[in-house]
Amino acid sequence: MIAADSPTDLQNPPSSGRDYAIDRDCTTLSRHVLEQLQSFSPDAQDLSALMNRIALAGKLIARRLSRAGLMEGVLGFTGDVNVQGESVKKMDIFANEVFISVFKQSGLVCRLASEEMDDPYYIPENCPMGRYTLLYDPIDGSSNVDININVGSIFSIRQQEGEDTDGTAQDLLHNGRKQLAAGYILYGPSTMLVYSIGKGVHAFTLDPSLGEFILSNENIQTPEHGPVYSVNEGNFWQWDESIRNYIRYVHRHEGYTARYGGAMVGDFHRILFQGGVFLYPGTVKKPEGKLRLLYESAPMAFLIEQSGGLATTGTQDILDAIPEKLHARTPLIIGSKEDVALVKSFIQEGARDQEEALMAKR
Ligand code: FBP
């Protein structure tokens, strides 16, 4: 079996090719979770089954996306506005319902909270024995859906603490280190599922002929530095001077290249494997930024810390940030250690300049 402590190059199998290929083809997600936990305990079985249900949701959404252009009434807007104040896409609602459906009759997840629902959704038949809460963004990169550019689903699993009798999910308002597992599904040329249970980051590729997610990259390590910077420069004049100075720096220095796909999952996926930094800073209008902490930024921060990278709000690690409400937003700077540290140095310098300017006024 594949050694868990070394990034295994799964494209160049060891000598006993035949056994290895069979073994690789049998390394499904649920099996990999159990191997990671090295246990068949009820908790391990539950987490493995939970991940398998997320994989099923991914397959159902991938199938819909792959045929959306040939089907009536699948693309476009619903005409509604969600709790974020954003116009809702039909695919957002479809994907949201899929995640709810796959957990029905599971006894696993009692409560689901998503970008598309004002309040958490309870699956009565799973409560109270279902001790897990699933937080998710059913379609990340919604602006890409109607033009067939990659999108994703982001998920985070937490233990339910307490009864949450008033349904306000106060027990979820804790930092990201409380996550038991996190990951995303990328709907791109191939469909990939990337996850972590706190034991490294691993990627699975959907094999349509098997209908199974098969292990394709194990123990992914994000390079210390990468040439890519990924940010919507259209917001340049809305940013704090320190972020503008960082962008001016990469514009003036060799070796940097811009990549921004409009879906954080896709931009993050590139950086996870090839290094670099993704930024969605706060703006004058939205100092707290755009991306949601509990089901967008915290799951990605959980992954990047496991792959050797960093994730910050600019002033604290994303995994230490505590949301004041379910749909709280946060500025996000995430990626390779050196590149995130460079952005932070500009922010700290900016803070020092502001401090000195204030002192000078006194
Ligand atoms: P959604 O989850 O509503 O799609 O919002 C998140 C997101 O689409 C990210 O995936 C992406 O990085 C960002 O918003 C794009 O925002 P903008 O269009 O302002 O650059």
Side-chain angles (χ1 to χ4, degrees), residues 6 9 20 23 85 87 89 95 105 108 131 133 148 150 192 202 204 221 227 240 273 276 301 320 334:
S6 61
D9 178 352
Y20 172 82
D23 214 39
S87 303
K89 291 277 176 78
Q105 304 302 337
L108 291 165
R131 292 158 293 119
T133 292
N148 192 31
N150 73 63
M192 291 185 78
H202 317 285
F204 290 72
Q221 300 300 312
D240 181 80
F273 282 86
D320 295 328
I334 189 166

Short mmCIF file of all heavy atoms in Angstrom, two decimals, residues 6 9 20 23 85 87 89 95 105 108 131 133 148 150 192 202 204 221 227 240 273 276 301 320 334:
data_model
loop_
_atom_site.label_atom_id
_atom_site.label_comp_id
_atom_site.label_asym_id
_atom_site.label_seq_id
_atom_site.Cartn_x
_atom_site.Cartn_y
_atom_site.Cartn_z
N SER A 6 5.02 10.04 2.58
CA SER A 6 5.83 10.65 1.50
C SER A 6 4.91 11.00 0.34
O SER A 6 4.08 10.21 -0.06
CB SER A 6 6.87 9.62 1.02
OG SER A 6 6.13 8.50 0.51
N ASP A 9 4.32 9.96 -6.05
CA ASP A 9 4.07 10.32 -7.45
C ASP A 9 3.25 9.20 -8.06
O ASP A 9 3.77 8.17 -8.46
CB ASP A 9 5.42 10.46 -8.20
CG ASP A 9 5.16 10.78 -9.67
OD1 ASP A 9 3.97 10.72 -10.04
OD2 ASP A 9 6.10 11.05 -10.39
N TYR A 20 0.10 -2.66 -8.24
CA TYR A 20 -0.01 -1.27 -7.80
C TYR A 20 -1.22 -0.62 -8.46
O TYR A 20 -2.03 0.04 -7.81
CB TYR A 20 1.26 -0.49 -8.18
CG TYR A 20 1.10 0.97 -7.92
CD1 TYR A 20 1.30 1.48 -6.64
CD2 TYR A 20 0.65 1.82 -8.91
CE1 TYR A 20 1.06 2.81 -6.38
CE2 TYR A 20 0.41 3.14 -8.66
CZ TYR A 20 0.63 3.64 -7.38
OH TYR A 20 0.38 4.94 -7.13
N ASP A 23 -4.31 -1.77 -6.87
CA ASP A 23 -4.41 -1.20 -5.52
C ASP A 23 -4.81 0.27 -5.62
O ASP A 23 -5.67 0.76 -4.88
CB ASP A 23 -3.04 -1.32 -4.83
CG ASP A 23 -3.22 -1.55 -3.34
OD1 ASP A 23 -4.16 -2.29 -3.00
OD2 ASP A 23 -2.50 -0.92 -2.57
N GLY A 85 -27.42 38.86 -0.18
CA GLY A 85 -27.79 39.98 -1.05
C GLY A 85 -27.38 39.75 -2.49
O GLY A 85 -27.33 40.67 -3.29
N SER A 87 -27.82 37.78 -6.28
CA SER A 87 -28.82 37.13 -7.14
C SER A 87 -28.47 35.65 -7.23
O SER A 87 -27.31 35.29 -7.41
CB SER A 87 -28.79 37.76 -8.53
OG SER A 87 -29.01 39.14 -8.41
N LYS A 89 -28.43 31.79 -8.62
CA LYS A 89 -28.44 31.01 -9.86
C LYS A 89 -29.25 29.73 -9.62
O LYS A 89 -29.24 29.17 -8.52
CB LYS A 89 -27.00 30.65 -10.26
CG LYS A 89 -26.15 31.84 -10.73
CD LYS A 89 -26.42 32.13 -12.19
CE LYS A 89 -25.67 33.35 -12.68
NZ LYS A 89 -24.25 33.11 -12.95
N ALA A 95 -27.70 22.57 -6.50
CA ALA A 95 -26.58 21.99 -5.74
C ALA A 95 -26.87 22.00 -4.24
O ALA A 95 -26.55 21.05 -3.53
CB ALA A 95 -25.30 22.78 -6.05
N GLN A 105 -31.86 10.33 5.60
CA GLN A 105 -31.74 8.91 5.90
C GLN A 105 -30.27 8.50 6.05
O GLN A 105 -29.88 7.44 5.58
CB GLN A 105 -32.40 8.06 4.79
CG GLN A 105 -33.84 8.37 4.53
CD GLN A 105 -34.72 8.21 5.77
OE1 GLN A 105 -34.37 7.50 6.70
NE2 GLN A 105 -35.82 8.95 5.80
N LEU A 108 -26.27 10.67 10.00
CA LEU A 108 -24.93 11.24 10.20
C LEU A 108 -24.98 12.73 10.51
O LEU A 108 -24.41 13.19 11.50
CB LEU A 108 -24.09 11.03 8.93
CG LEU A 108 -23.67 9.61 8.60
CD1 LEU A 108 -23.16 9.53 7.16
CD2 LEU A 108 -22.60 9.15 9.58
N ARG A 131 -24.33 13.63 14.92
CA ARG A 131 -23.57 14.58 15.73
C ARG A 131 -22.72 15.51 14.88
O ARG A 131 -21.90 16.25 15.35
CB ARG A 131 -22.68 13.81 16.71
CG ARG A 131 -23.49 13.07 17.78
CD ARG A 131 -22.73 11.92 18.40
NE ARG A 131 -22.50 10.86 17.42
CZ ARG A 131 -21.29 10.45 17.04
NH1 ARG A 131 -20.23 11.03 17.53
NH2 ARG A 131 -21.14 9.51 16.17
N THR A 133 -22.24 18.52 11.83
CA THR A 133 -22.82 19.62 11.05
C THR A 133 -22.00 19.79 9.79
O THR A 133 -20.77 19.77 9.85
CB THR A 133 -22.81 20.93 11.86
OG1 THR A 133 -23.72 20.81 12.95
CG2 THR A 133 -23.22 22.11 11.00
N ASN A 148 -19.84 28.04 -18.55
CA ASN A 148 -19.08 26.79 -18.60
C ASN A 148 -17.60 26.95 -18.23
O ASN A 148 -16.71 26.37 -18.88
CB ASN A 148 -19.20 26.14 -19.99
CG ASN A 148 -18.67 24.72 -19.97
OD1 ASN A 148 -18.74 24.03 -18.95
ND2 ASN A 148 -18.07 24.30 -21.07
N ASN A 150 -14.81 26.77 -14.89
CA ASN A 150 -14.81 25.90 -13.70
C ASN A 150 -15.43 26.57 -12.47
O ASN A 150 -15.30 27.77 -12.25
CB ASN A 150 -13.41 25.39 -13.38
CG ASN A 150 -12.49 26.45 -12.81
OD1 ASN A 150 -12.75 26.98 -11.73
ND2 ASN A 150 -11.44 26.77 -13.52
N MET A 192 -12.50 16.79 -9.51
CA MET A 192 -11.58 16.34 -8.46
C MET A 192 -12.16 16.69 -7.09
O MET A 192 -12.86 17.68 -6.94
CB MET A 192 -10.21 17.00 -8.62
CG MET A 192 -9.45 16.53 -9.85
SD MET A 192 -7.79 17.20 -9.92
CE MET A 192 -6.93 16.15 -8.73
N HIS A 202 -5.14 15.48 0.34
CA HIS A 202 -5.14 14.41 -0.66
C HIS A 202 -6.19 14.71 -1.73
O HIS A 202 -7.25 15.26 -1.43
CB HIS A 202 -5.42 13.08 0.03
CG HIS A 202 -4.67 12.93 1.32
ND1 HIS A 202 -3.32 12.66 1.38
CD2 HIS A 202 -5.08 13.08 2.61
CE1 HIS A 202 -2.93 12.62 2.64
NE2 HIS A 202 -3.98 12.88 3.42
N PHE A 204 -8.49 13.34 -5.12
CA PHE A 204 -9.10 12.20 -5.81
C PHE A 204 -9.66 12.71 -7.14
O PHE A 204 -10.18 13.81 -7.21
CB PHE A 204 -10.22 11.61 -4.96
CG PHE A 204 -9.72 10.90 -3.72
CD1 PHE A 204 -9.20 11.62 -2.66
CD2 PHE A 204 -9.76 9.52 -3.65
CE1 PHE A 204 -8.71 10.98 -1.53
CE2 PHE A 204 -9.27 8.86 -2.52
CZ PHE A 204 -8.75 9.59 -1.46
N GLN A 221 2.05 18.85 -1.11
CA GLN A 221 2.86 19.87 -0.44
C GLN A 221 2.86 21.14 -1.30
O GLN A 221 3.24 21.09 -2.46
CB GLN A 221 4.30 19.38 -0.26
CG GLN A 221 4.42 18.10 0.57
CD GLN A 221 3.87 18.29 1.98
OE1 GLN A 221 4.19 19.26 2.65
NE2 GLN A 221 2.98 17.38 2.39
N PRO A 227 5.04 31.66 -8.53
CA PRO A 227 5.00 32.90 -9.34
C PRO A 227 3.62 33.54 -9.43
O PRO A 227 3.50 34.71 -9.72
CB PRO A 227 5.44 32.40 -10.73
CG PRO A 227 5.01 30.96 -10.76
CD PRO A 227 5.16 30.45 -9.34
N ASP A 240 -6.99 49.00 0.62
CA ASP A 240 -6.11 49.75 1.52
C ASP A 240 -4.77 49.96 0.80
O ASP A 240 -4.36 49.13 -0.01
CB ASP A 240 -5.90 48.90 2.79
CG ASP A 240 -5.01 49.60 3.79
OD1 ASP A 240 -5.51 50.49 4.51
OD2 ASP A 240 -3.79 49.32 3.77
N PHE A 273 -1.12 23.29 -5.64
CA PHE A 273 -0.14 22.42 -6.31
C PHE A 273 1.10 23.17 -6.78
O PHE A 273 2.21 22.66 -6.70
CB PHE A 273 -0.79 21.75 -7.53
CG PHE A 273 -1.67 20.59 -7.19
CD1 PHE A 273 -3.02 20.80 -6.86
CD2 PHE A 273 -1.18 19.29 -7.19
CE1 PHE A 273 -3.84 19.73 -6.54
CE2 PHE A 273 -2.00 18.20 -6.86
CZ PHE A 273 -3.34 18.43 -6.53
N GLY A 276 2.08 30.14 -4.87
CA GLY A 276 1.62 31.49 -5.19
C GLY A 276 0.67 31.96 -4.10
O GLY A 276 0.63 31.39 -2.99
N ALA A 301 -8.37 27.34 4.48
CA ALA A 301 -7.25 27.56 5.41
C ALA A 301 -6.84 26.24 6.07
O ALA A 301 -5.66 25.97 6.25
CB ALA A 301 -7.66 28.58 6.47
N ASP A 320 -7.80 31.07 13.31
CA ASP A 320 -8.02 31.62 14.65
C ASP A 320 -9.17 32.62 14.67
O ASP A 320 -9.59 33.05 15.74
CB ASP A 320 -6.73 32.29 15.16
CG ASP A 320 -5.61 31.29 15.35
OD1 ASP A 320 -5.92 30.12 15.68
OD2 ASP A 320 -4.44 31.64 15.08
N ILE A 334 -4.20 33.80 1.09
CA ILE A 334 -3.93 32.37 1.29
C ILE A 334 -2.98 31.85 0.21
O ILE A 334 -3.05 32.28 -0.94
CB ILE A 334 -5.26 31.58 1.28
CG1 ILE A 334 -5.08 30.12 1.70
CG2 ILE A 334 -5.96 31.69 -0.06
CD1 ILE A 334 -6.41 29.42 2.01
#
